[in-house]
């Protein structure tokens, strides 16, 4: 983690590290971000609640209120692949959506899809793929450890049999 703060520029994508997932917002200036928030709970409640919902609302809030004590960073991760739209257009489009209720689906219409569509004109999200890969990796490790335990008990001498 860096010991210095870099002020985001309007149109920058902000990645907020939550426990087990990333929340995304677009910076619009003066400390504010626009993001998707659950419709059923206040924004002060963790946005993990949005996973349980099929709807989200577009909100403008102070970045520090959204991030709280969670780490956050500027992450314009697709700038090498896609040309970002002009910052004024990103901010204008984001602000035109304030207060609107939108469809929300973890795998196809999540907060990362929302902000990448604003910045690049195309919706992208790698976090679902990364989460599935991590889960498969953890399951794989569990299977390997379980298999090693079973095989070990079959082929290693029993401590009591040696005595």
């Amino acid at each position: 983690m860096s010991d210095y703060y870099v002020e985001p520029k309007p149109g920058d994508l902000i990645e907020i590290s939550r426990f087990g997932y990333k929340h995304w917002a677009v910076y619009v200036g003066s400390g504010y971000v626009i993001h998707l928030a659950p419709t059923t709970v206040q924004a002060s409640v963790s946005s993990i609640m949005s996973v349980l919902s099929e709807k989200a609302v577009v909100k403008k809030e102070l970045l520090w209120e959204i991030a709280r004590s969670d780490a956050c960073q500027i992450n314009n991760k697709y700038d090498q692949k896609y040309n970002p739209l002009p910052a004024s257009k990103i901010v204008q489009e984001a602000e035109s959506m304030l207060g609107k209720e939108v469809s929300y689906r973890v795998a196809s219409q999540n907060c990362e899809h929302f902000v990448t569509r604003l910045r690049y004109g195309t919706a992208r999200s790698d976090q679902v793929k990364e989460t599935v890969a991590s889960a498969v990796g953890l399951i794989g490790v569990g299977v390997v450890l379980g298999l090693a335990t079973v095989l070990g008990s079959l082929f290693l001498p029993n401590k009591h049999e040696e005595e």
Side-chain angles (χ1 to χ4, degrees):
M1 186 79 170
S2 166
D3 289 338
Y4 60 92
Y5 174 75
V6 176
E7 181 71 27
K9 296 184 288 295
D12 278 341
L13 301 186
I14 307 298
E15 177 186 40
I16 303 165
S17 297
R18 303 275 199 232
F19 181 74
Y21 72 103
K22 308 289 186 188
H23 183 60
W24 291 81
V26 63
Y27 189 78
V28 294
S30 301
Y32 284 89
V33 293
I34 293 179
H35 68 116
L36 293 183
T39 58
T40 56
V41 293
Q42 294 178 337
S44 61
V45 177
S46 175
S47 58
I48 190 68
M49 291 301 294
S50 64
V51 171
L52 306 175
S53 178
E54 292 183 358
K55 295 284 183 184
V57 65
V58 180
K59 289 193 172 185
K60 181 178 182 178
E61 299 181 86
L62 288 167
L63 173 57
W64 68 268
E65 288 178 344
I66 301 302
R68 297 182 307 271
S69 61
D70 294 330
C72 64
Q73 66 179 350
I74 298 166
N75 188 350
N76 300 318
K77 66 182 187 176
Y78 298 116
D79 279 9
Q80 299 301 317
K81 186 169 186 169
Y82 302 108
N83 289 325
L85 297 170
S88 60
K89 183 174 173 110
I90 297 167
V91 172
Q92 180 183 18
E93 178 66 18
E95 289 184 336
S96 77
M97 298 183 72
L98 286 175
K100 290 186 180 175
E101 195 171 276
V102 297
S103 293
Y104 183 92
R105 288 179 182 73
V106 171
S108 61
Q109 293 174 300
N110 64 38
C111 55
E112 187 178 3
H113 288 106
F114 174 72
V115 299
T116 55
R117 188 190 60 73
L118 289 169
R119 184 170 175 85
Y120 305 109
T122 188
R124 290 286 315 262
S125 175
D126 291 332
Q127 75 176 328
V128 172
K129 179 175 57 177
E130 291 166 358
T131 301
V132 169
S134 293
V136 168
L138 288 175
I139 291 168
V141 168
V143 168
V144 168
L145 290 175
L147 186 57
T149 302
V150 169
L151 292 174
S153 66
L154 291 173
F155 295 108
L156 294 176
N158 187 331
K159 186 176 181 181
H160 297 291
E161 290 175 0
E162 291 178 356
E163 294 173 357

